[in-house]
Amino acid sequence: MSENNKRTEIGDLGEFGLIDRLTKDVKIKHKTTAKGVGDDAAVFDYGGDEYTVLSTDILLEGIHFDLSFMPLQHLGYKAIAVNVSDIAAMNAIPEQVTVSIAVTNRFSVEAIEMIYEGINAACENYNVDLVGGDTTSSRQGLCISVTAVGRVKKDKISYRSGAKKGDILCVTGDLGGAYMGLQVLLREKTVFEANPKMQPNLDNYQYVAGRQLRPEARTDVIHELDELGVVPTSMIDVSDGVASEVLHICKASNVGAVVYEDKLPIDQDTFDVAHEFKIASKTPALNGGEDYELLFTIKQEDFSKLEKNANVFFIGYIDEAENGARLFTEGEQTLPLTAQGWKHF
Ligand code: ADP
Ligand code: MG
């Protein structure tokens, strides 16, 4: 605390301002630390032609998940998937994870085993080894923290900072579904709380609920890019909404960008649910978050290799820094691209 006991509210800084402030005095001591704070994963150079990458995330009950609608198996699966996603965002292949949990005595052993069913399924699916972790008690709420480690050839790593003017902005799948799924689940919860006899009916919402409850990391696209000989010039995973991620790439790469609203991939189901909730489907697509697709940039000369790829959508291009990040709307307006603040504080 400073001398005049000034109190700064966390909300005034936001998540990224807080991280910047907490880490501003960090000095890297080891030559093996090739990249510290500031990307989807830290990067280590132990010699040879590969880097090791490492990423960690916390999932906290009441903040990141609500057990009234999050099945325990899905929770375990998601905890692994979101970390694997950060490894993929470096263009790396994950190999190991550790899992740390804090549980209250509200959970039975069988309940915790259900979380591990999901964890094991994800480890199987993403071909990663669970190699350790920590287990402790919690007074209130369930907490799961996962750390993932992966590897990538040095000449194939993709940082957030490599985008260049003229590069094409790509995204690996449809956006906004996870957010609309959350809205549906929250609505059904309210209905259930008001009248416990009403059973949630998710029949018409399978796709968006699935996007929220059981996201997949796009390691499939990482393998595909490798086979096609495409190395993204920059990459980030879409955890906070594509607008926020484009801004991260712009900041780290010191570039501007143009995003075409009408090019944002939106699934028909997401579109329909957004319509039902009376919100424009572009809003969750831009700012929804938790889609865990990959946002990346490619050189123009690589366009032909991905042009017909069903997993890649072209949403804009990288521009000069002076022009900032802009959204070309369907109404042919040009607006500054903005990201909503952090939801958790
Ligand atoms: P992501 O969404 O990809 O997981 P974050 O937005 O959580 O990334 O974090 C951005 C960067 O800040 C990452 O490099 C992360 O390792 C780092 N970071 C986040 N929180 C802290 C912290 N409390 N102390 C140090 N570094 C942090
Ligand atoms: Mg990330």
Side-chain angles (χ1 to χ4, degrees):
M1 213 178 265
S2 64
E3 273 171 28
N4 59 5
N5 282 345
K6 182 174 178 299
R7 180 187 155 99
T8 308
E9 299 304 326
I10 298 171
D12 293 344
L13 290 183
E15 176 185 5
F16 306 120
L18 177 63
I19 296 170
D20 285 348
R21 178 147 156 186
L22 296 176
T23 58
K24 68 180 188 315
D25 298 325
V26 171
K27 300 260 179 325
I28 298 299
K29 292 178 278 299
H30 295 280
K31 266 200 257 168
T32 46
T33 307
K35 173 80 193 169
V37 173
D39 218 302
D40 292 284
V43 181
F44 311 134
D45 182 357
Y46 298 120
D49 64 349
E50 288 184 338
Y51 288 125
T52 299
V53 301
L54 175 142
S55 178
T56 195
D57 265 309
I58 302 179
L59 292 184
L60 201 58
E61 183 180 353
I63 300 288
H64 300 100
F65 58 89
D66 183 333
L67 286 176
S68 60
F69 53 72
M70 175 58 118
L72 292 169
Q73 290 97 330
H74 286 1
L75 177 62
Y77 193 95
K78 184 168 178 175
I80 301 298
V82 302
N83 275 273
V84 164
S85 178
D86 275 322
I87 300 298
M90 307 306 290
N91 206 26
I93 303 296
E95 290 188 354
Q96 290 90 14
V97 289
T98 63
V99 175
S100 300
I101 53 169
V103 282
T104 66
N105 56 14
R106 170 165 64 102
F107 292 92
S108 64
V109 173
E110 288 74 18
I112 304 171
E113 277 179 330
M114 282 164 89
I115 300 175
Y116 269 73
E117 270 176 37
I119 288 174
N120 292 333
C123 287
E124 209 46 53
N125 195 19
Y126 296 115
N127 193 29
V128 296
D129 297 325
L130 172 59
V131 295
D134 197 16
T135 305
T136 181
S137 57
S138 155
R139 282 278 180 82
Q140 228 187 358
L142 169 67
C143 178
I144 306 181
S145 176
V146 174
T147 298
V149 178
R151 283 191 302 157
V152 55
K153 285 260 187 306
K154 282 181 178 170
D155 56 0
K156 298 228 160 120
I157 193 159
S158 295
Y159 291 107
R160 293 178 181 181
S161 57
K164 297 272 182 315
K165 187 188 165 190
D167 288 354
I168 301 165
L169 264 174
C170 313
V171 69
T172 53
D174 62 278
L175 303 168
Y179 178 84
M180 289 324 304
L182 181 61
Q183 300 316 306
V184 168
L185 291 161
L186 288 170
R187 181 181 67 185
E188 294 303 315
K189 181 184 169 184
T190 316
V191 171
F192 179 74
E193 279 170 350
N195 180 1
K197 285 194 193 125
M198 291 280 290
Q199 283 303 308
N201 182 358
L202 292 175
D203 289 355
N204 294 328
Y205 306 102
Q206 292 296 336
Y207 181 70
V208 292
R211 293 289 280 171
Q212 169 60 221
L213 298 175
R214 202 179 184 281
E216 292 287 5
R218 299 310 303 267
T219 45
D220 57 330
V221 178
I222 298 305
H223 288 293
E224 230 176 289
L225 289 173
D226 190 36
E227 280 157 25
L228 293 166
V230 176
V231 178
T233 54
S234 70
M235 186 147 58
I236 185 169
D237 69 329
V238 183
S239 50
D240 297 331
V242 82
S244 170
E245 316 306 356
V246 169
L247 292 172
H248 279 308
I249 285 187
C250 287
K251 190 171 176 214
S253 300
N254 192 28
V255 292
V258 167
V259 172
Y260 295 105
E261 200 178 51
D262 65 347
K263 303 257 191 242
L264 294 170
I266 298 172
D267 187 88
Q268 185 63 44
D269 285 5
T270 304
F271 184 89
D272 291 345
V273 176
H275 184 74
E276 189 185 328
F277 277 75
K278 297 193 170 50
I279 52 178
S281 57
K282 308 295 166 185
T283 308
L286 281 166
N287 291 306
E290 290 207 281
D291 289 314
Y292 295 102
E293 297 297 337
L294 295 169
L295 173 75
F296 61 97
T297 53
I298 55 165
K299 292 188 191 127
Q300 286 181 20
E301 65 208 54
D302 284 333
F303 177 69
S304 59
K305 294 182 200 158
L306 294 177
E307 199 180 356
K308 300 216 165 63
N309 193 301
N311 285 320
V312 181
F313 302 85
F314 306 98
I315 62 164
Y317 64 90
I318 297 295
D319 200 0
E320 281 162 32
E322 297 82 80
N323 294 331
R326 293 173 294 161
L327 179 71
F328 283 12
T329 70
E330 277 166 332
E332 299 191 345
Q333 270 185 303
T334 306
L335 303 175
L337 188 71
T338 53
Q340 276 158 2
W342 195 22
K343 296 153 243 135
H344 299 329
F345 279 112

